[in-house]
């Protein structure tokens, strides 16, 4: 069946119309929720426990437009780098994003490597399974004091806590993806004389990629959770620190402002992962192309 340019243009216009319609409904729902929230906050008790949208927006505006911020990178008593920012939120945001990205990268790479390794080594996987399961069911928050003792109250302890959350999510998905490879394909590659690296590159890694990206969307949120919880338990910088200070003064509006900043950052990183997924998995047909 042949498609003319007019048909392609028509499909593009239909897609744009559907996207615009969907976006319109989403904005309408958001506006309605904000309106209901603002109306409900006229009650003093509701405003105390749930805040006011106008006050939350005002807090966000102050964070990004007023004051000044400074971030110092030091080793021992020596300050090696110093940055100045036009508003107070930027040093805290940079610290939290740095912790999140480091944990996301380290946890993803560790989960990918170990998942591939154990997925290709059934005997080793059976030996290590009880230890991995025990580490997985352990509430990772209880590790925060241990990491604080090992790495101090700086960035290292927050990254370590977040890595423990990201790692298992990626590891189990990669392991499952490798284990679901058709054994006949493995045998064919073995008959062709493929070595371990060739099997990983041509068979196991492509098979696990879709599982990897499914886990990465969850791992982003978990990396933020680990970083913020670490800041919450002991820190002098970061969005979690700002939220903790607001909690101490019962400032619910500032707490919601911190939540909004974290949510927007997580959505931004998730969209970047989605773009990377579409680029690396472009060989996979869309669901609409299978019909």
């Amino acid at each position: 069946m042949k498609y003319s340019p007019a048909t392609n243009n028509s499909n593009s216009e239909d897609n744009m119309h559907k996207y615009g319609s969907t976006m319109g409904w989403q904005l309408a729902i958001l506006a309605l929720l904000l309106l209901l929230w603002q109306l409900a906050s006229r009650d003093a008790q509701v405003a105390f426990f749930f805040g006011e949208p106008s006050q939350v927006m005002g807090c966000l505006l102050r964070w990004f437009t007023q004051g000044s911020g400074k971030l110092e990178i030091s080793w021992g008593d020596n300050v090696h780098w110093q940055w100045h920012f036009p508003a107070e939120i930027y040093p805290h945001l940079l610290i939290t994003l740095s912790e999140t990205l480091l944990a996301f990268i380290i946890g993803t790479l560790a989960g990918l490597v170990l998942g591939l390794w154990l997925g290709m080594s059934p005997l080793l996987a059976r030996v290590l399974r009880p230890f991995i399961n025990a580490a997985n069911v352990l509430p990772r928050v209880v590790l925060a004091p241990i990491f604080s003792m090992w790495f101090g109250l700086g960035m290292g302890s927050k990254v370590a806590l977040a890595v423990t959350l990201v790692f298992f999510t990626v590891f189990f998905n990669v392991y499952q993806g490798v284990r679901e490879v058709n054994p006949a394909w493995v045998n064919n590659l073995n008959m062709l004389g493929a070595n371990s690296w060739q099997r990983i590159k041509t068979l196991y890694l492509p098979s696990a990629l879709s599982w990897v990206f499914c886990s990465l969307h969850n791992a982003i949120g978990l990396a933020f959770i680990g970083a913020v919880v670490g800041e919450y338990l002991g820190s002098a910088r970061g969005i979690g620190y700002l939220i903790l200070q607001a909690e101490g003064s019962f400032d619910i509006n500032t707490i919601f402002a911190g939540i909004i900043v974290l949510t927007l950052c997580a959505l931004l990183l998730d969209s970047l992962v989605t773009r990377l997924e579409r680029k690396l998995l472009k060989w996979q047909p869309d669901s609409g192309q299978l019909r």
Side-chain angles (χ1 to χ4, degrees), residues 233-262:
L233 295 176
S235 178
R237 292 176 297 185
I239 302 299
Y241 168 76
L242 294 179
I243 293 175
L244 179 62
Q245 295 299 305
E247 180 191 354
S249 60
F250 299 100
D251 187 357
I252 190 66
N253 295 308
T254 301
I255 294 175
F256 273 114
I259 292 173
I260 291 174
V261 170
L262 292 174

Side-chain angles (χ1 to χ4, degrees), residues 120 186 189-190 194-204:
M120 297 172 59
V186 180
L189 284 178
N190 291 335
N195 56 34
S196 297
W197 169 243
Q198 289 172 332
R199 290 196 299 271
I200 291 175
K201 183 175 66 174
T202 61
L203 182 59
Y204 289 114

Side-chain angles (χ1 to χ4, degrees), residues 104-105 107-116 166-178 204-220 270 273-274 276-277 280-281 284:
F104 180 73
I105 294 171
T108 298
L109 291 178
L112 178 62
V113 171
L114 193 59
L116 285 171
V166 173
F167 167 78
F168 288 102
T169 301
V170 177
F171 165 76
F172 284 113
N173 278 275
V174 173
Y175 176 79
Q176 185 64 30
V178 173
Y204 289 114
L205 192 56
S207 174
L209 267 182
S210 58
W211 291 80
V212 169
F213 280 105
C214 286
S215 66
L216 292 185
H217 292 288
N218 294 326
I220 290 174
D270 186 72
V273 171
T274 300
L276 182 62
E277 179 181 9
L280 294 181
L281 299 182
Q284 288 187 340

Side-chain angles (χ1 to χ4, degrees), residues 25-35:
W25 278 107
Q26 291 171 343
L27 293 176
I29 292 174
L30 177 61
L32 178 61
L33 291 175
L34 290 175
L35 177 61

Side-chain angles (χ1 to χ4, degrees), residues 54-267:
S54 58
Q55 295 296 325
V56 173
M57 294 302 109
C59 179
L60 289 172
L61 185 63
R62 289 194 301 273
W63 272 357
F64 285 94
T65 60
Q66 297 182 10
S68 61
K70 182 175 69 173
L71 181 62
E72 296 179 346
I73 304 298
S74 60
W75 183 266
D77 296 330
N78 299 320
V79 177
H80 296 281
W81 293 282
Q82 187 177 87
W83 292 281
H84 295 272
F85 299 91
E88 63 173 306
I89 188 64
Y90 293 111
H92 299 281
L93 185 57
L94 181 61
I95 288 293
T96 300
L97 287 176
S98 300
E99 294 165 350
T100 300
L101 290 174
L102 281 174
F104 180 73
I105 294 171
I106 295 172
T108 298
L109 291 178
L112 178 62
V113 171
L114 193 59
L116 285 171
W117 183 28
L118 295 187
M120 297 172 59
S121 308
L123 176 59
L124 185 61
R126 288 195 297 270
V127 172
L128 296 180
R129 181 177 297 142
F131 303 101
I132 294 175
N133 289 338
N136 182 45
V137 299
L138 177 69
R140 254 79 80 186
V141 175
V142 302
L143 297 175
I146 298 177
F147 291 146
S148 296
M149 293 177 61
W150 290 352
F151 305 111
L153 295 177
M155 185 181 293
S157 58
K158 284 72 177 175
V159 172
L161 179 61
V163 165
T164 62
L165 296 174
V166 173
F167 167 78
F168 288 102
T169 301
V170 177
F171 165 76
F172 284 113
N173 278 275
V174 173
Y175 176 79
Q176 185 64 30
V178 173
R179 297 303 298 162
E180 289 196 355
V181 170
N182 192 332
W185 298 346
V186 180
N187 293 332
N188 291 338
L189 284 178
N190 291 335
M191 287 189 296
L192 292 173
N195 56 34
S196 297
W197 169 243
Q198 289 172 332
R199 290 196 299 271
I200 291 175
K201 183 175 66 174
T202 61
L203 182 59
Y204 289 114
L205 192 56
S207 174
L209 267 182
S210 58
W211 291 80
V212 169
F213 280 105
C214 286
S215 66
L216 292 185
H217 292 288
N218 294 326
I220 290 174
L222 293 174
F224 268 106
I225 290 173
V228 172
V229 168
E231 294 170 354
Y232 201 82
L233 295 176
S235 178
R237 292 176 297 185
I239 302 299
Y241 168 76
L242 294 179
I243 293 175
L244 179 62
Q245 295 299 305
E247 180 191 354
S249 60
F250 299 100
D251 187 357
I252 190 66
N253 295 308
T254 301
I255 294 175
F256 273 114
I259 292 173
I260 291 174
V261 170
L262 292 174
T263 301
L264 293 177
C265 290
L267 289 174

